[in-house]
Structures are given as C-alpha cells and as structure tokens.
C-alpha cells in the first residue's frame, strides 16, 4: 500500500497514525524526529509508467518493480530527491509533491552507467552524475537527455558531487587521487583542483562524499577518519573527527549534509549511525544503530538536507531511504 508521503512530510508520523520516534529520547527536548521511509514505487501513491507498461505488467508480470537496490549518493532539489544507485545502474527520482518514484536515467547502450555513485542538481534542473567505472561526470538535462561529459580520462575515480548553486560551481571528489576537482556549471570548464594524498590539513585518504552550504565545503576524508572544511575557493579552514569508537569519533564516515543552522550530519557505515555536529565541529548528538527498524541503519551512505531541514539518509544495505525532520534547538 502506498504511503501518503506528501502528508507524512508535512505532518510527520501523526499523519500515518504511528508512534513517533524522537532523538534524543525524553526528557530532553527533542531535536530530530523520524518521518518516513521508502524502498520502491509501491511506497508512492501514483505511477509514471505508461499505459502499455501497466498493461504488460498486469498481463504477463514481466515489467520489473522500480525499487532501490543499493542507494548511495543523494541530492535534493525542491520537492524531488535524486538517488544514485550503482547496483541498479540507475539514478532514481522521488517526487514528493507528485507522489511518484521512477528512473531519471538508467544505464543503456547509448548512455552506459555501470556504476553511478554521485549525483548533484544545479538550480536550472540539470543533473550531474559521477560514474566510478567510467571515470567521468555526465551532465543531463532536466528531462534526462545527455548534454555533456566532464573530466573523461582525468579522474582516478570520481565519487561524491555537490553543486554550489550561488556560484554555479560543481565540486567532484576524486577518491583515488585524493583531490577535489571544481567545474563551472555555466561553461562546463575546469576551474581548479585542490587537495592531495596525505594525512595533513588539506590532504586526503580516500575521500568520498561532500556537501556545500553557504559557500563552505565539507568533505568526508574517510580513511583519515575526519571531516575537512574549506572555503569556496578550496582553501583549508579546519577539520574535526578522529579514528575511534567514542562519541564524535569515526570508523567509516561516508555521507554528509548540512542544515540551515549549520549543523553537520555525518553517516558512519561501520557504526551504522549518524552523528550531528555544530558548525564548529562539536558533537551535539548521535542516533541510529545496526538494524532494519525505523531509525536503524545498515551501511548508511549518502546524506541530503532540504530547505525545510528534512534529512534524507541512504540506508544502503537496507535498500531504502529514511527521512527525518530536524526540529530546531528549542530554547537553547
């Protein structure tokens, strides 16, 4: 049965008659609430399939279910969430206003995408997709038409993507080379590169995901077990985190997102949780543990935060997206 996602996102669990989940648990004031989750087109009220596809599926059952298989990279644009799913070789789009879930672009003979891993959307609706096997970033129109290819032959392994929609710059992480490549989304030309392999400030060891908010770039430096912070031009600002198993430590940090108050959400694929830091890198709280229930994770990957401070987590091995709502700092 399809979930009323639009109502859930507007009204929380009360709209579905479910028991609410909050973090931290009472008696402290709640800061984060669980909203909903989805896995496939069955969780949405409407379908974008053509009439023939619907008839074919009804008669012979040969039309595959549109479903997440291993969601990884995320980006949100308006009321649409774009999801890079390398196992499905697909970029999915969940349209919460239209109540649909469908492929935005899939791997085909004309546009092979053997491992789409990162996705980012520009303010004009163009969609940028990194493919870690083809070692390039592909530019698609809002309708899914291939427009251009960036960095072909110049990446070691492109992964995370983020667009600065004010400056019209695309940031692309090169995991193998330990650097970030910046492109102009207007000219599609390379603007600069920064970073190199190492352990010092501004150096990386297998970086993967990144986020941009208000001209600040946050990069998950995975195997240095930290988050590094840069200004828009790629100049080092600071870092936080270290290897360990205590609060604020990291074991396998992956996805990252930043809300409107500057709070930083970091998903850890080994801890199976999400830790939330303030803009200075101080730990505020964490939530989640290994499992399949609401608010639990199994290899969480990408993180995205929309303009309403809804937090989307790619719960990769559970083959779903979980959605949470940041509630603010209350009386702090």
């Amino acid at each position: 049965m399809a979930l009323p996602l639009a109502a859930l996102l507007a009204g929380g669990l009360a709209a579905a008659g479910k028991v609410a989940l909050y973090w931290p648990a009472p008696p402290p004031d709640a800061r984060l609430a669980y909203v909903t989750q989805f896995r496939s087109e069955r969780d949405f009220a409407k379908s974008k399939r053509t009439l023939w596809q619907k008839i074919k599926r009804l008669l012979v059952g040969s039309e595959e279910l549109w479903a997440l298989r291993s969601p990884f990279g995320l980006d949100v644009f308006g009321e649409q969430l774009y999801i890079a799913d390398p196992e499905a070789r697909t970029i999915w789009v969940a349209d919460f206003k239209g109540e649909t879930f469908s492929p935005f672009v899939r791997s085909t003979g004309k546009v092979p995408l053997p491992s789409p891993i990162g996705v980012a959307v520009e303010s004009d609706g163009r969609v940028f997709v990194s493919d870690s096997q083809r070692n390039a970033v592909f530019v698609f129109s809002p309708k899914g038409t291939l427009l251009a290819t960036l960095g072909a032959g110049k990446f070691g392994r492109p992964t995370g993507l983020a667009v600065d929609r004010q400056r019209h710059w695309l940031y692309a992480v090169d995991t193998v080379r330990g650097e970030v490549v910046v492109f102009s989304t207007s000219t599609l030309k390379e603007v600069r590169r920064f970073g190199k392999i190492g352990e010092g400030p501004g150096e990386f060891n297998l970086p993967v995901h990144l986020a941009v908010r208000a001209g600040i770039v946050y990069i998950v430096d995975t195997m240095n077990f930290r988050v590094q912070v840069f200004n828009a031009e790629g100049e080092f600002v600071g870092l936080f985190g270290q290897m360990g198993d205590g609060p604020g430590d990291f074991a396998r940090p992956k996805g990252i997102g930043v809300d409107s108050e500057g709070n930083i959400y970091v998903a850890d694929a080994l801890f199976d949780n999400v830790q939330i830091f303030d803009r200075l890198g101080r730990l505020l709280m964490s939530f989640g543990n290994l499992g399949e229930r609401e608010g639990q994770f199994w290899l969480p990957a990408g993180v995205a935060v929309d303009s309403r401070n809804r937090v989307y987590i790619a719960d990769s091995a559970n083959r779903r997206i979980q959605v949470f709502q940041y509630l603010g700092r209350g009386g702090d």
Side-chain angles (χ1 to χ4, degrees):
M1 179 178 178
L3 292 173
L5 285 172
L8 283 169
L9 291 171
L13 283 178
K18 296 185 178 181
V19 176
L21 297 177
Y22 297 100
W23 293 268
D29 291 338
R31 299 292 188 256
L32 194 80
Y34 171 84
V35 177
T36 190
Q37 61 178 291
F38 62 89
R39 289 183 168 87
S40 73
E41 61 181 314
R42 289 175 177 166
D43 296 321
F44 291 75
K46 299 178 182 178
S47 174
K48 292 188 72 173
R49 293 182 183 271
T50 64
L51 178 61
W52 167 242
Q53 286 176 321
K54 294 177 182 178
I55 294 173
K56 183 179 179 182
R57 185 173 182 184
L58 180 65
L59 294 177
V60 300
S62 62
E63 195 70 31
E64 71 167 308
L65 177 71
W66 287 342
L68 297 168
R69 296 182 65 179
S70 182
F72 195 83
L74 304 177
D75 196 20
V76 63
F77 181 61
E79 291 295 319
Q80 295 182 320
L81 180 70
Y82 291 79
I83 307 161
D85 188 338
E87 187 174 330
R89 300 193 297 173
T90 300
I91 301 297
W92 304 101
V93 58
D95 187 330
F96 302 116
K97 184 176 182 180
E99 286 287 351
T100 62
F101 176 85
S102 60
F104 171 74
V105 62
R106 312 194 76 173
S107 184
T108 65
K110 293 182 179 180
V111 187
L113 292 174
S115 186
I117 200 167
V119 62
V121 188
E122 180 52 290
S123 56
D124 59 6
R126 284 177 299 157
V127 179
F128 297 82
V129 177
S130 60
D131 191 288
S132 62
Q133 288 191 30
R134 293 194 64 190
N135 293 329
V137 175
F138 300 94
V139 188
F140 294 92
S141 74
K143 297 295 186 180
T145 301
L146 181 63
L147 301 176
T149 302
L150 306 181
K154 297 182 179 180
F155 283 110
R157 183 171 181 256
T159 52
L161 300 178
V163 169
D164 183 330
R165 293 171 185 159
Q166 282 69 50
R167 292 170 177 80
H168 303 294
W169 289 346
L170 171 72
Y171 296 82
V173 173
D174 191 327
T175 296
V176 169
R177 295 179 179 174
E179 64 182 3
V180 178
V181 185
V182 186
F183 297 92
S184 164
T185 62
S186 300
T187 65
L188 301 183
K189 302 294 185 181
E190 183 177 320
V191 174
R192 67 177 59 86
R193 295 176 178 236
F194 62 92
K196 63 179 180 179
I197 296 174
E199 299 179 356
E203 299 176 343
F204 301 101
N205 185 4
L206 298 183
V208 179
H209 290 271
L210 78 166
V212 178
R213 169 76 74 165
I216 303 297
V217 184
Y218 305 83
I219 302 172
V220 178
D221 190 5
T222 301
M223 295 313 295
N224 278 328
F225 310 98
R226 63 191 182 186
V227 172
Q228 296 202 62
V229 185
F230 300 81
N231 65 18
E233 286 72 33
E235 298 170 336
F236 175 78
V237 173
L239 57 82
F240 62 90
Q242 62 182 4
M243 182 174 64
D245 58 5
D249 295 339
F250 295 122
R252 194 64 56 83
K254 287 295 180 87
I256 188 167
V258 185
D259 68 27
S260 64
E261 293 185 4
N263 301 311
I264 306 162
Y265 302 73
V266 184
D268 197 299
L270 195 55
F271 287 154
D272 294 300
N273 73 358
V274 177
Q275 298 188 85
I276 307 175
F277 301 83
D278 68 11
R279 63 179 69 243
L280 299 178
R282 298 174 298 195
L283 180 67
L284 299 174
M285 58 170 282
S286 64
F287 67 99
N289 59 287
L290 178 61
E292 300 178 1
R293 301 185 66 178
E294 293 91 343
Q296 296 182 319
F297 303 99
W298 185 11
L299 299 180
V303 178
V305 184
D306 70 12
S307 60
R308 299 180 187 177
N309 288 332
R310 293 176 297 200
V311 183
Y312 305 87
I313 311 292
D315 191 4
S316 185
N318 279 325
R319 300 189 175 198
R320 66 183 178 182
I321 303 296
Q322 294 200 65
V323 187
F324 302 84
Q325 178 68 57
Y326 173 60
L327 303 174
R329 292 177 180 257
D332 289 358

